[in-house]
Amino acid sequence: MTPTLSERLHAVQERIHAAERAAGRPPGSVGLIAVSKTQPAAAIRAAVQAGQRDFGENYLQEALAKQTELADCPAIRWHFIGPIQSNKTRPIATHFDWVHSVDRLKVAERLSEQRPSQKPALNICLQVNISHEDSKSGINLAELPELARAVAALPRLRLRGLMAIPAPTADPASQRQAFRTLRLALENLDLPGLDTLSMGMSDDLEAAILEGATLVRVGTAVFGPRVR
Ligand SMILES: *Cc1c(COP(=O)(O)O)cnc(C)c1O
């Protein structure tokens, strides 16, 4: 029998708790972002009913449509985790609580300017390209310190930490190596208030937690296979 969404969610929470224990980290030190791209609003609603609060979306139009359907769930915290076009920053600055995929100063400046004044500062992670590959997203490690200093100075943003999507590999040692690189990059940034490592997905969240992840972004293990 296929598991229900609530069963999947609890199984992922169990994996997170087991990894926290294995890492010698306090229970509850790792937060779960349920990545709901391609999933219908009804699936998000079911996850909310099972106690989930943080949701990650990659595509702006799709996310905005689901936010409208879920306007009666104000407790949801929305995380934007997809590529950002600089002409689409206003709705992102308006309708999200976190943005994990900032990799250019121009985008950060626009998000800061466009963040509505009645909302708290927008939480930001800088996306880092740690595997130096085909992926066009993410700032290089060499350029990270300068971008981080500039973003930290923007008034309506709150720089929280770093995000990465390493090249997929089934080898746990290679998974950990990539996540360790991101942790060391965060530790080397000499800035106040950095408390977030957004790393780890369905297939590698254990390795990420062993290397210090504070937020894991999990899609298929929570919702099942993507709808398209
Ligand atoms: C899709 C996606 C995830 C979740 O991936 P799964 O393998 O389904 O857990 C996490 N982060 C980002 C940026 C994504 O695009």
Side-chain angles (χ1 to χ4, degrees), residues 35 37 58 81 163 165 200-203 217-221 226:
V35 176
K37 63 178 174 220
N58 294 60
I81 63 172
M163 180 273 237
I165 313 169
M201 317 201 302
S202 293
D203 293 333
R217 308 177 311 270
V218 182
T220 47
R226 280 189 266 285

Side-chain angles (χ1 to χ4, degrees), residues 178-222:
F179 293 133
R180 186 175 313 138
T181 301
L182 195 70
R183 171 166 55 79
L184 294 174
L186 184 75
E187 288 172 6
N188 286 332
L189 291 178
D190 190 19
L191 291 167
L194 300 182
D195 59 6
T196 302
L197 277 171
S198 168
M199 59 187 196
M201 317 201 302
S202 293
D203 293 333
D204 56 14
L205 68 89
E206 284 84 1
I209 291 170
L210 286 169
E211 292 297 341
T214 62
L215 290 175
V216 291
R217 308 177 311 270
V218 182
T220 47
V222 170

Side-chain angles (χ1 to χ4, degrees), residues 36 38-42 44-45 57-72 76 78 80 91 95-96 228:
S36 42
T38 81
Q39 302 293 340
I44 298 177
R45 190 178 294 281
E57 290 281 345
N58 294 60
Y59 310 108
L60 182 61
Q61 292 315 317
E62 179 194 327
L64 295 177
K66 285 186 262 185
Q67 289 179 350
T68 301
E69 280 189 72
L70 294 161
D72 59 325
I76 296 180
W78 293 101
F80 193 80
H95 297 289
F96 288 82
R228 59 167 145 73

